[in-house]
Amino acid sequence: MNNRPDYRDICEAAMRLKDKSIYTAVLSSPKINEQVGSEVFFKCENQQHIGAFKFRGAYNAIIQLSDLQKKNGVIAFSSGNHAQAVARVCQMLDIKATIIMPNNAPDIKRRGTEILGANIIEYDPLTENRETIAQQVNADNRLSLIPPFNHPHIIAGQGTAAYELASDVKNLDQLLAPCGGGGLLSGTALAVKGLQENCAVIGVEPEMADDATQSFQQGKIITIDYPDTIADGTQTLSLGEITFGLIQSHVDDMVTVSEAMIKEAVRLLFYNLKQVVEPSGALGLAALLERKTPPANRVGVIISGGNIDGKMMQKILAEPSIT
Ligand SMILES: *Cc1c(COP(=O)(O)O)cnc(C)c1O
């Protein structure tokens, strides 16, 4: 495979993931449909292993390492769902996982990674450099780095969620996916354009973390300062070279949503769809509620994950509805 994956790579990833990942449900809510004026099909990756789609990319990347690489082990940097995904895949395949994590990582995500048997190395993001830590930990370079988004095998794996959705639900007019580093969105676009050429693919970001939207509009990778958004899965500072290229050529548009509407979407998904969804996973519905996308009859939405602290959920549910 060259650096830039294509539709065939998504199909191959789907075959590798068969019976390994959970074939997640597609759910609808008549109330939400009425409120947004479209028929909406939610692909529930909050029900995936480790509670997010990232299992897919991690599995597709790690299973393709050589026997020697598997024997030596893998390393990843992440405070979030990518850490848990790498840890879970390594647990399944009996591979040693080392995760480098900032000491301010959400508790639920840190504990989730620990329980899966990964070796966690903490650092202070304010005073310590992540790369220096990694060099110390991996001085002999034997551990294989599993990047969170900018890698063809990761992108192809992430695309399999939309591959399942667009295989099961025909005649979609539009498909919405959240965007952080762009692994999910670029894989989604490859899958959807391969299966339903006429379906528009739209990426959604928090207003406060709009680097990909800026990059899409300006035709070059834009980097932002650390964004203070509730959607911690999309706090990435910039797209990668590969994800940016794919988004430029296969994604139809990028839109942004407010923090208030992200929280409203979390509430509606809880009360109407009966799903526990983390803020990043609610971006697609937030875009529909804010009328940020063109009107469409049949809309697919990727609910990307459900790893939200109980306290945070409580706080969001306690706030009044704004729609
Ligand atoms: C990682 C993540 C995203 C963003 O995915 P990218 O591939 O980085 O764009 C969105 N939602 C959740 C729940 C995530 O864990």
Side-chain angles (χ1 to χ4, degrees), residues 16 57-75 86 89-90 93 95-97 142-147 151 153-154:
R16 275 185 211 106
Y59 186 88
N60 191 49
I62 293 170
I63 196 71
Q64 294 187 71
L65 295 174
S66 70
D67 288 345
L68 179 64
Q69 286 173 318
K70 285 177 183 149
K71 190 166 151 279
N72 286 340
V74 305
I75 183 168
V86 169
V89 171
C90 285
L93 301 175
I95 292 171
K96 200 178 90 207
R142 276 155 55 111
L143 306 178
S144 299
L145 176 68
I146 308 297
H151 186 287
H153 298 171
I154 298 284

Side-chain angles (χ1 to χ4, degrees), residues 53-58 148 153-162 183-184 187-188:
F53 71 90
K54 286 210 174 64
F55 176 85
R56 297 174 181 269
H153 298 171
I154 298 284
I155 295 167
Q158 316 303 36
T160 60
L184 177 66
T188 294

Side-chain angles (χ1 to χ4, degrees), residues 34 47 49-50 97 111 113 123 138 151 153 159 167 181 199 295 303 319:
E34 195 186 293
Q47 298 176 0
H49 291 306
I50 69 102
R111 266 185 292 121
T113 311
Y123 71 101
N138 195 16
H151 186 287
H153 298 171
S167 302
C199 174
I303 292 183
E319 290 177 14

Side-chain angles (χ1 to χ4, degrees), residues 45-46 50-54 80-82 109 148-150 154-155 158 177-187 204 231-236 238-239 243 247 277-283 302-307:
E45 286 295 300
N46 56 321
I50 69 102
F53 71 90
K54 286 210 174 64
N81 290 330
H82 180 59
K109 292 181 177 173
F149 52 84
N150 200 42
I154 298 284
I155 295 167
Q158 316 303 36
C179 181
L184 177 66
L185 179 59
S186 51
V204 188
D232 61 302
T234 61
Q235 266 169 336
T236 326
S238 77
L239 296 170
T243 55
I247 287 170
V277 178
E278 62 182 282
S280 303
L283 291 180
I302 310 275
I303 292 183
S304 53
N307 292 321

Side-chain angles (χ1 to χ4, degrees), residues 4-5 155 186 189-190 241-251:
R4 206 162 159 169
I155 295 167
S186 51
L190 287 176
E241 296 263 337
I242 308 172
T243 55
F244 173 64
L246 290 169
I247 287 170
Q248 263 197 316
S249 43
H250 298 289
V251 169

